[in-house]
Amino acid sequence: PACRNVLVLVGPTASGKTPVALEISRLVEVEIISADSRQMYKHMDIGTAKPSREELERVPHYFVDDRLPDASLNASEFGTRGREIIDDILRRGKLPLLVGGSGLYLQGLVDGFFEGLEPDEELRARLYARLAAEGGQALLEELRVVDPAAAATMLPSNKKRIVRALEVHRLTGRPISELQKTRITVSFTPIFIGLRWDRAALY
């Protein structure tokens, strides 16, 4: 069978993932999939360490300058589209190089997990109204009753995650922590490369 390996380059912020990925591209015929949750937005160039225009033209990149800042992309959607891109790259005989960034995006692509429900805007608005009136702690306590596993991973300040978990439970009757255990079959083998720095030097 054809080799279906995917290089996955990971490391903390400012560890040099983008220049290392570009150096790899000089040695191997790769196409780069960015899992950086900031580089994907147009106009957000300062502080995101995006590849230059020349670098983007030299090596195919995906999810860089992909959308306007008001268009969101969740990890599940990223995973679905990313796997389609990986299949296309492999079909053309090139090596996909996944460069991360956001751990949640990487997990959504490499592991595959719960294909999130479409948001219910009316329900979400009601939950945010309650959040404003009652505070994060009150909604977290409510989540603790219906989904203690999810609640255990959150703080009252994790407003977006609390609202989403309550929203999913209201819509499905099932805890989001249970739904997120559902895995999608991934048809490639990820090979991880980690960049590690002395913490003081990195800071």
Side-chain angles (χ1 to χ4, degrees), residues 108-182:
L109 198 161
V110 172
D111 293 340
F113 53 52
F114 169 54
E115 292 290 315
L117 297 170
E118 287 295 314
D120 182 318
E121 298 299 346
E122 184 180 341
L123 172 58
R124 186 171 287 188
R126 289 202 305 272
L127 288 168
Y128 272 112
R130 284 190 52 209
L131 184 70
E134 302 171 35
Q137 186 64 47
L139 266 68
L140 182 58
E141 291 301 327
E142 183 176 318
L143 180 62
R144 195 165 279 126
V145 173
V146 298
D147 191 352
T153 69
M154 301 182 198
L155 297 171
S157 57
N158 300 138
K159 298 175 183 178
K160 188 175 179 180
R161 292 180 63 204
I162 293 168
V163 166
R164 179 58 175 163
L166 287 172
E167 177 188 15
V168 167
H169 185 265
R170 297 276 181 86
L171 292 173
T172 67
R174 297 173 65 191
I176 195 171
S177 60
E178 177 186 310
L179 292 170
Q180 287 176 336
K181 292 176 184 175
T182 304

Side-chain angles (χ1 to χ4, degrees), residues 47-142:
T48 59
K50 282 181 187 175
S52 68
R53 184 56 48 198
E54 180 219 353
E55 290 163 341
L56 290 172
E57 289 172 357
R58 184 168 59 80
V59 185
H61 282 71
Y62 302 88
F63 295 108
V64 175
D65 284 342
D66 184 71
R67 59 195 52 227
L68 292 169
D70 62 351
S72 63
L73 179 72
N74 66 40
S76 176
E77 293 166 334
F78 176 85
T80 299
R81 189 169 152 215
R83 285 187 292 275
E84 292 171 354
I85 291 168
I86 284 172
D87 283 341
D88 180 58
I89 295 170
L90 290 170
R91 210 168 19 244
R92 290 184 282 104
K94 296 186 179 181
L95 179 66
L97 173 55
L98 179 59
V99 183
S102 166
L104 195 59
Y105 279 15
L106 287 171
Q107 185 185 1
L109 198 161
V110 172
D111 293 340
F113 53 52
F114 169 54
E115 292 290 315
L117 297 170
E118 287 295 314
D120 182 318
E121 298 299 346
E122 184 180 341
L123 172 58
R124 186 171 287 188
R126 289 202 305 272
L127 288 168
Y128 272 112
R130 284 190 52 209
L131 184 70
E134 302 171 35
Q137 186 64 47
L139 266 68
L140 182 58
E141 291 301 327
E142 183 176 318

Side-chain angles (χ1 to χ4, degrees), residues 29-58:
E29 196 171 13
V30 300
E31 295 190 8
I32 295 173
I33 302 164
S34 171
D36 188 295
S37 61
R38 299 293 179 265
Q39 289 188 1
M40 74 167 54
Y41 291 110
K42 295 177 180 177
H43 314 306
M44 294 179 64
D45 299 338
I46 297 173
T48 59
K50 282 181 187 175
S52 68
R53 184 56 48 198
E54 180 219 353
E55 290 163 341
L56 290 172
E57 289 172 357
R58 184 168 59 80

